[in-house]
């Protein structure tokens, strides 16, 4: 492995200036569960690894109606927090199934986002919870919706010298529910053939859909926000039949490939099934009887 | 390996941590994993290398009360941490109930995965003394065994759970 400097940053300025100094020869280290594997596999070489876990903003986890998840907060801290689990069920579904317990001790949702694989379990739930990312670089700080962050397999909106600081999720509306499910051939420790996250807000009667958001994993070059299926659901009655129609629309928004994990045909089918199932689960949670 | 320009020579970093209850200091090249430091720098070869990419759990150690794959943590990240490896599991002059149960239930064959299973299972039973079979299986999903087929391992953990009550 190419030798690199270890830079334990204690604040954002230090980290950003290290990133600016080394350009694309430096990366941020959070949990390391992707980074160290990729370095060891010599997928790329680095001259510097900037450890971000001593930067207060990157390890912040604050629930104040909305939720702020620092980019380096490990998954277990998110799913072991019962108040977060109650308010942000879609996030918990993902945080508790990424890898095994050992991985969840270190891996972060921010790292999952920055690694930017189309199959990431963590990204779609952040999209349907209307997550917004905060990015800082030498030229200042900017924000963007999570669905705009990934730009291709392993690629994202971070420019040279920029780093992800946090993911901010707004306070869910009343009668809100969300869920994430994936299809894998075994029960744990696998990469999604297809993953679907759905979020739904019902009206006060609990029968009509006010708004919905659906996002698809592993069926395109990036996680996909299924805009048409999401918009179709607004104003509809919350029945399984409606959700099956939403699944059929979502399937048309998927652009999967055939690979070792599944075929194009299977993946389109799985989008339909998982969209319907996650909507049913999200509605159960929205009605408070999950 | 690539020729490194002189200004990029990487210096070893002094690291201080608590290892199996003992204050420990070592020098770590920044690109070495905690697993490599444990085995090659500190001579603690109880922790095993399996896949070396975070799938198999053979290298599981306990860091500040959480189990991690030591192949996916840098040695330099051990600074200030409290680390327990398989060498710290047994009390002086005896076996931990999990080790005893693994022997009695024949929960190992080749033994490469065993230290990882023991460190993982110990963390579970200390945090959740009443963990049921389903919980044990889910918790140990990050530890792979290619010999026993898991049932004996689960039975051993359940036996140790009763011993530890």
């Amino acid at each position: 492995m190419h030798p690199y400097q270890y830079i334990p940053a204690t604040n954002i300025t230090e980290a950003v200036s290290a990133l600016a100094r080394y350009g694309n020869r430096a990366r941020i280290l959070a949990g390391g569960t992707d980074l160290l594997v990729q370095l060891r596999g010599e997928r790329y070489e680095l001259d510097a690894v900037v450890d971000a876990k001593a930067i207060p903003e990157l390890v912040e986890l604050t629930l104040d109606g909305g939720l702020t998840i620092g980019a380096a907060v490990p998954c277990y801290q998110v799913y072991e927090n019962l108040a977060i689990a109650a308010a942000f069920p879609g996030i918990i579904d993902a945080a508790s199934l990424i890898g095994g317990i050992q991985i969840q001790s270190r891996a972060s949702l921010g790292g999952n986002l920055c690694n930017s694989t189309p199959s990431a379990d963590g990204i779609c739930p952040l999209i349907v919870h209307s997550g917004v990312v905060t990015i800082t670089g030498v030229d200042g700080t900017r924000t963007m919706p999570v669905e705009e962050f990934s730009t291709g397999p392993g690629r994202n909106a971070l420019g040279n010298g920029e780093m992800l600081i946090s993911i901010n999720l707004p306070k869910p509306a009343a009668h809100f529910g969300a869920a994430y499910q994936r299809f894998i051939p075994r029960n744990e420790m696998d990469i999604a053939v297809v993953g679907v996250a759905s979020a739904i807000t019902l009206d006060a009667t609990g029968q009509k859909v006010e708004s919905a958001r659906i996002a698809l994993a592993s069926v395109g070059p990036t996680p996909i926000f299924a805009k048409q299926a999401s918009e179709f659901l607004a104003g509809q009655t919350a029945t399984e039949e409606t959700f099956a129609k939403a699944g059929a629309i979502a399937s048309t928004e998927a652009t999967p490939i055939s690979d070792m994990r599944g075929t194009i045909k299977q993946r389109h089918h799985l989008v339909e099934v998982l969209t319907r199932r996650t909507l049913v689960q999200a509605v159960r949670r929205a009605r408070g009887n999950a | 390996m690539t020729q490194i320009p002189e200004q990029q020579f990487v210096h070893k970093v002094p690291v201080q941590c608590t290892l199996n209850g003992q204050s420990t200091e070592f020098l770590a090249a920044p690109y070495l994993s905690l697993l490599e430091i444990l085995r090659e720098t500190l001579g603690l070869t109880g922790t095993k290398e399996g896949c070396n990419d975070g799938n198999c759990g053979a290298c599981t150690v306990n860091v500040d009360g959480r189990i991690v794959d030591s192949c996916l943590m840098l040695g330099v990240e051990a600074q200030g941490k409290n680390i327990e490896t398989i060498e710290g599991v047994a009390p002086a002059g005896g076996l931990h109930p999990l080790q005893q149960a693994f022997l009695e239930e024949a929960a190992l064959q080749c033994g490469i995965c065993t230290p990882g299973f023991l460190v993982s299972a110990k963390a579970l039973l200390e945090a959740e003394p009443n963990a049921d079979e389903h919980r044990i299986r889910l918790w140990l999903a990050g530890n792979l065994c290619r010999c026993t087929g898991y049932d004996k391992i689960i039975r051993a953990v359940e036996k140790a759970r009763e011993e530890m009550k």
Side-chain angles (χ1 to χ4, degrees), chain A residues 1-6 25 29-33 36-37 40 45 47 49 51 53 76 79-80 100-106 186 188-189, chain B residues 1-2 4 7-10 30-31 33 52-55 57 60 66-69 71-74 76-77 120 138-139 141-144:
Chain A
M1 196 194 309
H2 182 76
Y4 50 79
Q5 308 281 347
Y6 173 74
R25 305 278 297 175
L29 169 67
T33 56
L36 299 188
V37 174
R40 199 168 291 146
E45 284 181 358
D47 294 328
V49 161
D51 191 341
K53 291 190 291 297
Y76 82 90
Y79 70 70
E80 284 188 355
I101 303 292
Q102 288 93 328
I103 299 295
Q104 293 159 10
S105 294
R106 302 248 307 158
R186 57 201 297 265
E188 301 91 15
M189 296 279 291
Chain B
M1 188 171 284
T2 333
I4 314 293
Q7 71 273 21
Q8 283 183 21
F9 268 123
V10 170
Y31 45 86
S33 67
N52 209 27
D53 65 8
N55 277 292
T60 302
R66 302 286 315 182
I67 53 168
V68 306
D69 294 322
C71 72
L72 292 189
M73 175 170 164
L74 296 175
V76 289
E77 290 182 87
S120 292
L138 194 65
W139 183 272
N143 291 86
L144 303 186

Side-chain angles (χ1 to χ4, degrees), chain B:
Chain B
M1 188 171 284
T2 333
Q3 194 71 36
I4 314 293
E6 196 175 344
Q7 71 273 21
Q8 283 183 21
F9 268 123
V10 170
H11 295 285
K12 288 188 176 182
V13 179
V15 178
Q16 195 278 324
C17 65
T18 303
L19 183 56
N20 297 326
Q22 305 273 325
S23 178
T24 304
E25 289 177 29
F26 56 85
L27 284 172
Y31 45 86
L32 293 181
S33 67
L34 176 60
L35 173 63
E36 289 167 309
I37 294 288
L38 288 171
R39 289 183 58 86
E40 288 159 34
T41 304
L42 300 172
L44 293 177
T45 54
T47 304
K48 302 304 181 199
E49 178 185 316
C51 65
N52 209 27
D53 65 8
N55 277 292
C56 79
C59 66
T60 302
V61 299
N62 191 310
V63 178
D64 286 348
R66 302 286 315 182
I67 53 168
V68 306
D69 294 322
S70 60
C71 72
L72 292 189
M73 175 170 164
L74 296 175
V76 289
E77 290 182 87
Q79 173 60 38
K81 304 286 189 204
N82 186 1
I83 297 168
E84 185 178 271
T85 67
I86 184 62
E87 286 87 351
V89 166
L95 292 177
H96 187 276
L98 274 161
Q99 294 172 310
Q100 187 63 39
F102 267 59
L103 285 174
E104 290 171 6
E105 294 295 320
L108 65 153
Q109 288 178 34
C110 85
I112 290 286
C113 71
T114 311
F117 268 101
L118 290 167
V119 171
S120 292
K122 180 169 181 273
L124 172 64
L125 293 182
E126 285 173 354
E128 303 175 30
N130 296 310
D132 65 7
E133 182 191 337
H134 181 78
R135 179 64 178 150
I136 295 167
R137 285 185 184 273
L138 194 65
W139 183 272
L140 295 178
N143 291 86
L144 303 186
C145 169
R146 299 286 82 142
C147 303
T148 71
Y150 300 105
D151 281 348
K152 291 174 174 179
I153 292 172
I154 305 301
R155 277 206 293 278
V157 175
E158 291 191 286
K159 187 171 193 175
R161 175 193 64 202
E162 300 309 311
E163 280 296 311
M164 287 168 70
K165 277 182 182 171

Side-chain angles (χ1 to χ4, degrees), chain A residues 91-168:
Chain A
I91 307 298
I92 299 313
D93 286 346
S96 57
L97 61 65
I98 294 175
I101 303 292
Q102 288 93 328
I103 299 295
Q104 293 159 10
S105 294
R106 302 248 307 158
S108 60
L109 291 169
N112 201 225
L113 192 48
C114 290
N115 195 48
S116 302
T117 61
S119 58
D121 290 308
I123 301 179
C124 288
L126 295 172
I127 292 173
V128 303
H129 272 278
S130 303
V132 173
V133 294
T134 300
I135 296 166
T136 297
V138 279
D139 297 329
T141 294
R142 61 192 177 115
T143 61
M144 71 169 61
V146 173
E147 59 264 36
E148 292 172 15
F149 185 80
S150 299
T151 55
R155 294 201 308 273
N156 57 51
L158 291 177
N160 255 352
E162 280 192 321
M163 61 188 285
L164 179 69
I165 305 299
S166 63
I167 306 151
N168 304 281

